[in-house]
Amino acid sequence: MPPRLALAAAGLAAFAFMAPSVLFAQTAPAVDETPVVEILMEVASEGAACRPPQARLPARSPIEIRLVNPSASAISFIATKFFEGSNVEGATGAVDEGAGYLVGPGVTARIAVKSTPPEGAFPYTCAMEREGRTLEGVGGTLTIVPPATAPRG
């Protein structure tokens, strides 16, 4: 058998040996049914702005909050009463500030909430530092509803 053909045959045999494990890994995705609320953080003329103005979340349930900051400035997501009533499991990409989380420029942070507070409306705001001053900006409300009426992520 010519050397090139032998090399090609060996490569094909190796692929055939490894292919079942590669295919299995691609056909067995993890299923995650945790609802996700995404908050977009932006820099506005008056300071920071976050959207949406209202997010509906299931009461006493696990959720993930994604804080998306595409701006060139660090922005804080502040939801004091919400975080006081929640059981936060952990955060990646954000610094815990007690009443909220600081998200760096160009970062998408994830906050894993093991259990949301009971039903109610919890205001949130976004803030940023500019010229040595903290500028509170536009926020919204995290509305906690019975689990059957909350949208799924």
Side-chain angles (χ1 to χ4, degrees):
M1 184 180 293
R4 284 188 188 171
L5 190 53
L7 187 57
L12 186 57
F15 176 78
F17 177 75
M18 293 174 47
S21 62
V22 172
L23 291 174
F24 177 77
Q26 292 176 347
T27 58
V31 176
D32 185 4
E33 295 199 20
T34 302
V36 174
V37 61
E38 188 169 282
I39 306 291
L40 178 62
M41 309 169 98
E42 300 174 310
V43 174
S45 59
E46 68 276 2
C50 286
R51 294 185 279 146
Q54 181 174 8
R56 292 167 48 97
L57 308 169
R60 301 188 187 278
S61 299
I63 64 162
E64 178 182 305
I65 299 173
R66 285 190 193 144
L67 302 173
V68 181
N69 180 5
S71 79
S73 300
I75 299 176
S76 293
F77 174 79
I78 304 164
T80 307
K81 295 293 183 189
F82 175 82
F83 287 120
E84 284 175 358
S86 296
N87 181 358
V88 176
E89 191 170 27
T92 57
V95 176
D96 185 351
E97 297 182 310
Y101 290 85
L102 177 66
V103 180
V107 173
T108 296
R110 289 172 169 76
I111 302 167
V113 178
K114 197 179 248 183
S115 179
T116 57
E119 296 172 28
F122 299 86
Y124 75 85
T125 190
C126 286
M128 61 183 289
E129 295 286 325
R130 187 181 287 163
E131 298 171 6
R133 297 181 309 138
T134 300
L135 302 175
E136 288 208 19
V138 179
T141 304
L142 299 173
T143 303
I144 310 302
V145 298
T149 62
R152 297 299 288 175

